[in-house]
Amino acid sequence: MSRLKLLLIGLFLLLAHFAIAHPAWGIIMDEQGNFYFADIGHHERGTLWRLSASGKLTALLKDFHAHNVVLDARGNIISAHGEDHHTLVRLWTSGEMDTLLTTTDLDEFYGGNWTRSVNGNIYFCLKHHVWKIGLDGQKTKHSPLRLEWNQAIFVDAEENIYVPDIGQGNGTLFKIKPDGSYHAIARDLIEVPAGREKDPHADILQGMAKDSEGNVYIADLGGRRIVQIGPNMTTKTFYRSASGHSPSGICFDGRTAYVLEDGPRIVKVSPNGHTKILFDYNAPKSIEKEEEDWWVYTLLIGFLALFVYLGYRDDYRRDRKGFIDTVIGTLSSAVKFIFGMR
């Protein structure tokens, strides 16, 4: 039965890998203390969440594959769906929603890796470059910088763009000025755990933020940490996730940081370094969760069980009781694992 167990374990590990390899990284806080964050692990292709200052969780958009979320100058929420169609939307504080742009042509806009400045300019990364859509709607190449492997972008209040490149060295972060000129502000940002080789699909650099003192922060998923980048390319670990978790994004309220981790969950990091789990989707009774399409998971498990039976019917014939016990035990563990991820 050992090959059966290995097959089932491998299948579920593969599902878990794809769920966490390229997570959402957008998180922002408004003036009222409400959080908005992206999550690709719930409600089919993803969810745009609102966590109120009082702790109430609301799914603003479902089946919405968003990686980033920002606020405009008036505090309205802006996010983009980045699968099949690429649609940038604005959710007004009044509750209404409008579409800023939509396309199925990636050359026009890529909703999987974008940001928007408070001035209204849209930036996105595609085909090794950063592109800008100005207020006139025209798209231009923003900088001559060529990126080898990029999966996130951030713009600060002064319209400086920050883009990590995991294809240059061991992770390099570039700063692009409003005029398009650029320079590296940090190198060797990816910390690979001892005992294994670097995985370019998992050891990536994602969400970024800037504090009131001008330090830049970036999520290093390989090292399960947030890196602080100070003057003269100095770097240090600002926060490291607990075992079993990994950070993907960060935002600030004054000197207090809020780290978005897989789950999703939000960890508060006080100026003195004290940490507190502010929100955890998977914590028992932490929130009143909405009903989801649980039947999708049940159907998946059923198909896996059928596949196992058809592929290993010889084992079934030789040792029927042992086969059934193995399948039931493994699928039971899988159910707990899948619903734990939710």
Side-chain angles (χ1 to χ4, degrees):
M1 291 295 179
S2 60
R3 62 175 181 169
L4 171 60
K5 291 182 179 178
L6 288 174
L7 173 65
L8 285 171
I9 291 171
L11 285 170
F12 287 111
L13 287 178
L14 183 63
L15 289 172
H17 172 77
F18 282 114
I20 65 175
H22 188 200
W25 39 270
I27 179 172
I28 198 71
M29 183 183 192
D30 67 15
E31 293 182 351
Q32 289 73 43
N34 305 304
F35 290 97
Y36 303 90
F37 58 96
D39 166 30
I40 61 172
H42 300 91
H43 297 123
E44 299 183 34
R45 289 176 293 184
T47 312
L48 180 63
W49 295 105
R50 177 182 186 269
L51 180 68
S52 72
S54 62
K56 180 182 178 182
L57 184 69
T58 304
L60 298 178
L61 294 173
K62 298 179 181 180
D63 194 21
F64 189 79
H65 192 88
H67 283 275
N68 193 22
V69 58
V70 301
L71 296 176
D72 68 10
R74 296 183 177 181
N76 301 303
I77 307 106
I78 297 177
S79 190
H81 175 82
E83 260 194 4
D84 54 58
H85 63 89
H86 298 265
T87 302
L88 188 71
V89 300
R90 172 170 49 201
L91 281 71
W92 296 83
T93 53
S94 62
E96 299 176 353
M97 183 180 79
D98 62 357
T99 299
L100 300 178
L101 66 89
T102 184
T103 181
T104 56
D105 185 352
L106 287 177
D107 287 334
E108 293 182 3
F109 172 66
Y110 176 43
N113 190 4
W114 67 278
T115 191
R116 185 179 187 270
S117 72
V118 291
N119 297 322
N121 295 308
I122 300 166
Y123 300 90
F124 66 96
C125 296
L126 186 70
K127 296 182 178 179
H128 303 289
H129 289 285
V130 175
W131 303 88
K132 174 183 177 180
I133 301 176
L135 300 181
D136 59 0
Q138 297 300 307
K139 189 196 79 171
T140 57
K141 184 185 292 184
H142 183 57
S143 171
L145 171 64
R146 176 181 171 81
L147 299 166
E148 297 301 325
W149 196 330
N150 164 268
Q151 292 170 305
I153 182 172
F154 169 71
V155 59
D156 66 17
E158 290 75 40
E159 205 94 9
N160 296 301
I161 303 295
Y162 299 84
V163 283
D165 190 344
I166 67 172
Q168 295 196 38
N170 193 40
T172 302
L173 181 61
F174 290 96
K175 175 182 178 179
I176 305 175
K177 295 181 179 179
D179 63 3
S181 61
Y182 65 91
H183 65 281
I185 65 169
R187 300 185 188 276
D188 198 30
L189 289 168
I190 299 174
E191 183 181 273
V192 180
R196 71 168 177 82
E197 296 182 356
K198 180 180 175 181
D199 180 355
H201 297 283
D203 300 329
I204 58 178
L205 300 170
Q206 287 203 290
M208 292 159 280
K210 194 174 180 181
D211 67 16
S212 57
E213 297 178 355
N215 298 306
V216 178
Y217 300 76
I218 188 167
D220 164 28
L221 273 67
R224 297 186 299 104
R225 62 180 185 149
I226 298 291
V227 183
Q228 181 192 74
I229 302 164
N232 303 317
M233 301 181 72
T234 57
T235 63
K236 68 176 183 179
T237 298
F238 171 76
Y239 168 81
R240 192 180 300 274
S241 293
S243 177
H245 291 276
S246 181
S248 60
I250 182 173
C251 69
F252 277 86
D253 178 29
R255 297 179 59 207
T256 300
Y258 297 91
V259 177
L260 177 65
E261 295 184 325
D262 56 314
R265 71 178 194 171
I266 299 173
V267 179
K268 177 181 178 181
V269 184
S270 300
N272 61 4
H274 177 73
T275 62
K276 176 184 178 182
I277 299 175
L278 196 67
F279 161 79
D280 188 343
Y281 187 91
N282 293 313
K285 300 181 181 179
S286 62
I287 57 170
E288 185 177 346
K289 300 179 183 179
E290 300 182 34
E291 285 297 321
E292 298 188 33
D293 297 326
W294 58 268
W295 60 269
V296 174
Y297 299 98
T298 305
L299 188 62
L300 172 62
I301 294 170
F303 275 123
L304 285 173
L306 178 61
F307 171 76
V308 170
Y309 169 71
L310 293 176
Y312 289 85
R313 55 184 179 274
D314 290 338
D315 287 344
Y316 174 77
R317 289 167 182 164
R318 285 195 300 268
D319 183 5
R320 179 179 301 181
K321 185 178 185 303
F323 179 88
I324 293 175
D325 288 345
T326 299
V327 171
I328 292 176
T330 308
L331 293 181
S332 176
S333 298
V335 169
K336 294 177 181 178
F337 171 75
I338 289 174
F339 282 87
M341 288 179 65
R342 299 169 67 229

